[in-house]
Amino acid sequence: MPGLTSAAGVVGFLSEPEPELQVFALKVLNEEIDSLWTEVAGSVGDIEALYEDPAFPERELAALVAAKVYYNLQEYNESMIFALGAGKLFDIDHEGEFEDTIISKCIDTYIALSGSVPAINTNQPPPQLTTAFSSTANGASSISAGLASPTTPFSQSTLPSKSLLSRQDSTTTFDPSQQVGGNANPPGALPASVASQAGVQKQLYAIIDELFERCFQGGSYRQVIGIAVEARRLDVLRRAILRANEDEKKQGKAEDSGLSRGQELMEYVLEICMDVVQERGFRNELLRLVLDLLNDIPSPDYFSIAKCIVYLNEHTMASDLLVQLVNKGDPKSSAIAYQIAFDLYDNSTQEFLRKVREELPKAPEPAAAPPADTKDPVHEEASEPKESDQLLQELDDSAGVPASSVDGEQNKERKEISPEAQKAFDSIRTILSGTKTIELDLEFLFRSNRADLVVLNKIRDSVEARNSIYHTAVTLATAFMHAGTTNDSFFRQNLEWLGKAVNWSKFTATAALGVIHRGNLGQGQKLLEPYLPKDQIAGANPSSAYSQGGSLYALGLIYANHETFALDLIREHFKKATEEVVQHGGALGLGVAGMATGDESIYEDLKGVLYTDSALNGEAVGIAMGLIMLGTGDIKALEDMIQYAHDTQHEKIVRGLALGMALIMYGRQEGADELVNGLLDDPDPILRYGGIQTLALAYCGTGSNKAVRKLLHVAVSDVSDDVRRIAVMSLGFILFRKPSSVPRMVELLSESYNPHVRYGAAMALGISCAGTGLDEAIDLLEPMIKDPTDFVRQGALISLSMVMIQQNEAMNPKVSTIRKTLLKAISDRHEDAMTKFGSAIALGVIDAGGRNCTISLQTQTGNLNMSGIVGMAVFTQYWYWFPLTHFLSLSFAPTAIVGLDQDLEVPSFKFYSATRPSLFDYPPEQEAKQEDAPEKVKTAVLSTTAQAKRRAQKKEKQQRRESMDVDQTPATPKTTNIDDKMETDEPAPKVEEGQDPEKVDGEKKDGEAPPEGAKKRMEKEKVGYYLENMSRVLPAQRKFISFPDGRYQPVKKPTGGVILLTDTTPSEPKTLMELKAKKTVKPAAAPATLQDRVNEALGQQEAASGDTGGAAEAAGVLTAVDEGGEGEEDAEVPREFDYFTDEEGGGEE
């Protein structure tokens, strides 16, 4: 039939009484509806009447025509309802805009309907805080007023959501799983009430099932998983993964080619859990589902299981997994158990690790049967959750053990522990305590140290040591540059400079030893012995309280996040201390060493000192209380801290408590909403500042849209500059997993009229883009180096060093320019002190850990790096208190691959990097310039004088020949071009010892030749080279690493850090690497006076060998009491004087 030009006649048939004519009209209109819909739209009521008539034979055809009419009218909800009523006539396999649009509407409605079903609620609302907050702590009285207020609770914001996974929470509860109210439906989706009234749910689910089946047949399992996660349908998610495994079995694909399809999908679900899903409760449900599915796989991925266990904080399941792997008895299972133990240490808190260690089997002490109470209670707890038994059922060698006989079986297993298994459990305990990881990191940093002392000397010479801020800057740069390397030679070589430290500069310098020796577990206490507080003996010279406090702080940094005897030692000194400075250092040391232990007794000790209401102690104690209770969400602690923050009059105490509360809510996400709302509603700007910090740490690394919207809102609306600054800065903590999105977000803020906002934007770029070398971040930071405000320049320099850490010219060509900029800023006489301070810190950060560390806020396996995030958060408080700058060292992560065999020894072998050696090489060291003194003016030599010299030389030579003189002719400069041009006496280039003069001369000739030569050398480089075990491997280099060595093979894909290797030929002898970091330290004897100490140390400096460290020699300087008495000023304050006008002065005369 030729195409119709008008539908008038056909539409008329719809009013005819004969059904045959009506069916004919519908068939014609169905074919031509796209061109005739404008004429049919007026008669859509007749078409609907035919659909609703139960006696009409072609009701589905009428529904399809009505759907197409409404589609062209852009009434998509009605169109979808009628399309579902069309039944089989609506063909989802037909490709067209109409079908695609209706399918998308069906998916949106399916998600909305699924969201309307009450979700499984495992995340109970947090207990209500009984605080001194005002009655409006839950938000503004109305939404409009709330949006106008700078303290609007972000959980009540009505701004549109861009992602279904970031839907707004209900305003009446903090349960993230209740997402049915407000804007729970996707934009434009059919409301659930309309869908249920229309009775289309059955047809909708049929369409969705058909769509899922089509995806399964096409292998598009990820699309089904995405829809299931959006709809919160865990049953569909399980079905998709199981179907993938079934289809793979039917196709008969070999499993040894790699991961199975089901395992790939589960890894995809894990990625979605951590990167996309933002509700903590739903995330836990997904993780538990993945655990169940991993149990059903014949050969489960133990590392994925361990990742889920860490996320769920299930210490019992972790210990059970390790026990089952060890009990298998084969070397590979033991290696996997060791690798999981290393991963657990990297990703878990001290409290979690302690519980896992306690639950591991121990050898019975008596020879008889072990007493029942040594292990039974632990295993009774372990037997309570059914999931752990179900998860590890496949791993049990003795399958079919009744659940009721778990305790008896565990006792039997306890009796039958073999010596090999007991040795493995002891090794796992050592790994979980962190000793092995810290020892290997220390060894790598010690043997690979490339710290450039030329840069440090330049910093030292460029600033005045008598100025406290400059002395602190050099100290901090030294500490960062040598962090973890145990190389404190700079202090030994500069004792006279070190002796200029007074008061808090001395405190910071002593604490710097803790950064330098971080991880030196065996000798940390011995190194700091001369500095630690001692009982005063009559007649003995007292040591400085500042060095005593700094030593406790340093001891905490050495044993950071490592619960050992040091924690008890610091606590003992802290309780005995009476001076505020010592208590200040002891509190910081306690917080760092006892991080996330949740120790109530330490918390009570700190609280006792807090209640003395000392401003100096209060700030450190508040931070330490938060560090001890890190991430616990302890309601009692929060109530104590909030109450005291409202009672005290000291701003420093309030600031410390505000940060402490933020640390307690670390990683709590929705659980911190009530505290955030209350703090942001407080009239005190310091507590609002703490509210923003709480928001940043609670949602760190989640990329939460609602948190970002709240931060941006506060950043442009709060009346306090401090609050606005921290709001912009906190964007870096929320979005550090998506660094490329931050430059675009803060681009306008970086040009704000408010310098505090500009500083916050700079620091946000540094925090989120640390170690990435991101060009967009550098483009925003470079103009800020020339900002008119000094502290903005300071922030820009520090952030640039964070972004460019471990970058070389092959990775980013701007590295050399930025390094020169940093050195220029520190040596510029006209630069402000704040900028010079930032430049010194930046030079230390960019070469952190001897150029072997990067700044990492997430672990090698992708989890949040708790100590790194906490260190960065406390470091940002250097704005108020310089000693807190040392916390940045907690964010430094060694970039190495360390291979261990099944005996936890370091074998000597090589692995392969499929790149050019120069691509990830160290940046070149700074050249030492000898001509620091001002050069003499070059003496001009007239051409006549030069000609007279040449004539005299020629005459002298002629006389020698005539007298037959046999002496050797002295060398004279060659004159290749003699003219009348004026010459100058230029000094010859200085030649250092052991250096070829020709090389020095060649370097001076042409400045452009070396880059061209370097470029040619890069072109000639071969792709691929071998690296020794325990070598530096950058994060961007890991994807190029392989293990072609046939003997040692990794048990998992290399991710950096410690990697367990399986020895394919264990019978052959193996070569082990010598550990060089273990060497004795001899503390120096303390002479009587400061001058004697300095003279003695300087006299021994040249004869000193490597046996005596800088820490020991510096003790003589740093422990001395400052001249003039403790706490006195460096110079006398000028006395007040009276000012008289001329008239007054004349009258008195």
Side-chain angles (χ1 to χ4, degrees), residues 687-702:
L687 286 179
R688 294 206 305 276
Y689 185 101
I692 295 296
Q693 288 179 307
T694 306
L695 176 59
L697 290 179
Y699 286 87
C700 59
T702 62

Side-chain angles (χ1 to χ4, degrees), residues 848-859:
R851 300 189 174 184
N852 291 298
C853 286
T854 187
I855 293 177
S856 178
L857 302 188
Q858 51 186 339
T859 62

Side-chain angles (χ1 to χ4, degrees), residues 360-640:
L360 291 176
K362 296 179 181 177
E365 295 180 1
D373 58 348
T374 55
K375 186 62 185 174
D376 285 351
V378 175
H379 283 280
E380 284 177 16
E381 293 177 8
S383 63
E384 285 176 8
K386 272 189 170 181
E387 257 181 343
S388 62
D389 297 333
Q390 179 185 0
L391 166 68
L392 302 169
Q393 185 177 7
E394 181 273 335
L395 304 174
D396 196 355
D397 293 335
S398 56
V401 178
S404 59
S405 62
V406 172
D407 292 341
E409 192 65 33
Q410 293 289 356
N411 284 333
K412 181 180 178 182
E413 180 185 340
R414 172 81 177 266
K415 296 176 185 177
E416 298 175 357
I417 293 180
S418 63
E420 294 78 10
Q422 187 57 49
K423 180 182 177 183
F425 287 132
D426 292 340
S427 299
I428 290 175
R429 284 193 187 88
T430 304
I431 295 170
L432 292 176
S433 69
T435 306
K436 196 68 179 177
T437 302
I438 295 172
E439 176 187 326
L440 294 171
D441 287 344
L442 183 75
E443 175 66 26
F444 162 70
L445 293 174
F446 176 79
R447 66 166 58 221
S448 304
N449 181 20
R450 293 287 190 92
D452 194 351
L453 290 178
V454 175
V455 175
L456 271 180
N457 291 330
K458 186 172 180 61
I459 299 173
R460 180 204 61 201
D461 296 338
S462 300
V463 294
E464 174 55 48
R466 284 289 181 188
N467 192 324
S468 176
I469 185 174
Y470 290 149
H471 198 286
T472 301
V474 180
T475 301
L476 294 170
T478 306
F480 290 156
M481 203 173 289
H482 295 93
T485 63
T486 71
N487 182 0
D488 49 20
S489 59
F490 182 80
F491 285 161
R492 182 175 67 241
Q493 297 167 5
N494 296 276
L495 289 173
E496 186 177 356
W497 165 84
L498 193 63
K500 296 178 182 179
V502 294
N503 297 345
W504 289 105
S505 297
K506 185 172 292 186
F507 178 93
T508 308
T510 309
L513 294 172
V515 177
I516 295 173
H517 291 275
R518 184 189 171 197
N520 196 352
L521 304 180
Q523 303 164 14
Q525 184 184 4
K526 190 174 182 180
L527 281 164
L528 295 175
E529 192 66 39
Y531 302 88
L532 291 173
K534 301 179 182 66
D535 296 332
Q536 293 297 331
I537 303 174
N541 289 327
S543 60
S544 170
Y546 291 93
S547 66
Q548 292 177 8
S551 66
L552 294 178
Y553 186 14
L555 196 61
L557 290 168
I558 290 177
Y559 297 91
N561 199 21
H562 184 66
E563 193 177 4
T564 57
F565 71 93
L567 189 60
D568 296 329
L569 179 63
I570 300 172
R571 184 181 176 188
E572 182 183 350
H573 285 300
F574 175 75
K575 292 167 71 174
K576 288 181 179 179
T578 56
E579 297 192 47
E580 292 182 341
V581 178
V582 181
Q583 289 179 335
H584 182 94
L588 292 176
L590 270 179
V592 179
M595 191 185 301
T597 56
D599 193 316
E600 291 284 349
S601 57
I602 297 178
Y603 172 81
E604 291 298 329
D605 292 342
L606 291 168
K607 190 169 70 171
V609 175
L610 174 70
Y611 286 163
T612 61
D613 203 41
S614 166
L616 185 60
N617 295 341
E619 185 173 22
V621 168
I623 296 173
M625 291 164 71
L627 288 170
I628 294 294
M629 294 294 177
L630 179 64
T632 60
D634 190 285
I635 297 299
K636 182 180 179 299
L638 289 172
E639 289 175 356
D640 294 341

Side-chain angles (χ1 to χ4, degrees), residues 33-215:
I33 194 67
D34 289 338
S35 58
L36 302 176
W37 67 270
T38 53
E39 299 179 61
V40 181
S43 303
V44 70
D46 297 335
I47 301 175
E48 289 187 31
L50 293 175
Y51 167 66
E52 294 171 357
D53 184 4
F56 186 67
E58 294 289 343
R59 293 179 64 236
E60 294 181 347
L61 180 60
L64 183 60
V65 174
K68 292 184 177 179
V69 172
Y70 279 118
Y71 165 75
N72 285 286
L73 289 170
Q74 297 186 3
E75 296 289 344
Y76 298 125
N77 288 335
E78 288 80 0
S79 177
M80 186 199 70
I81 291 176
F82 285 106
L84 292 174
K88 296 181 179 179
L89 293 181
F90 177 64
D91 184 11
I92 65 173
D93 293 326
H94 183 270
E95 295 183 0
E97 291 184 4
F98 168 68
E99 287 78 11
D100 291 344
T101 303
I102 298 304
I103 289 173
S104 66
K105 297 302 296 182
C106 288
I107 293 173
D108 288 344
T109 307
Y110 172 76
I111 292 171
L113 288 172
S114 301
S116 64
V117 179
I120 301 173
N121 184 11
T122 59
N123 199 26
Q124 296 298 326
Q128 297 297 312
L129 283 171
T130 56
T131 66
F133 288 143
S134 61
S135 59
T136 59
N138 287 330
S141 58
S142 66
I143 291 176
S144 58
L147 289 176
S149 169
T151 58
T152 307
F154 57 83
S155 60
Q156 298 185 14
S157 173
T158 57
L159 298 176
S161 175
K162 293 183 179 179
S163 169
L164 185 61
L165 294 174
S166 60
R167 294 191 290 264
Q168 298 296 318
D169 293 338
S170 170
T171 60
T172 59
T173 180
F174 291 93
D175 183 8
S177 63
Q178 297 181 11
Q179 301 286 333
V180 299
N183 59 345
N185 293 354
L190 183 66
S193 59
V194 177
S196 59
Q197 290 175 5
V200 296
Q201 290 193 27
K202 185 176 180 181
Q203 297 92 328
L204 175 66
Y205 288 137
I207 290 288
I208 294 297
D209 287 340
E210 188 178 350
L211 183 65
F212 286 167
E213 187 61 33
R214 191 174 68 173
C215 290

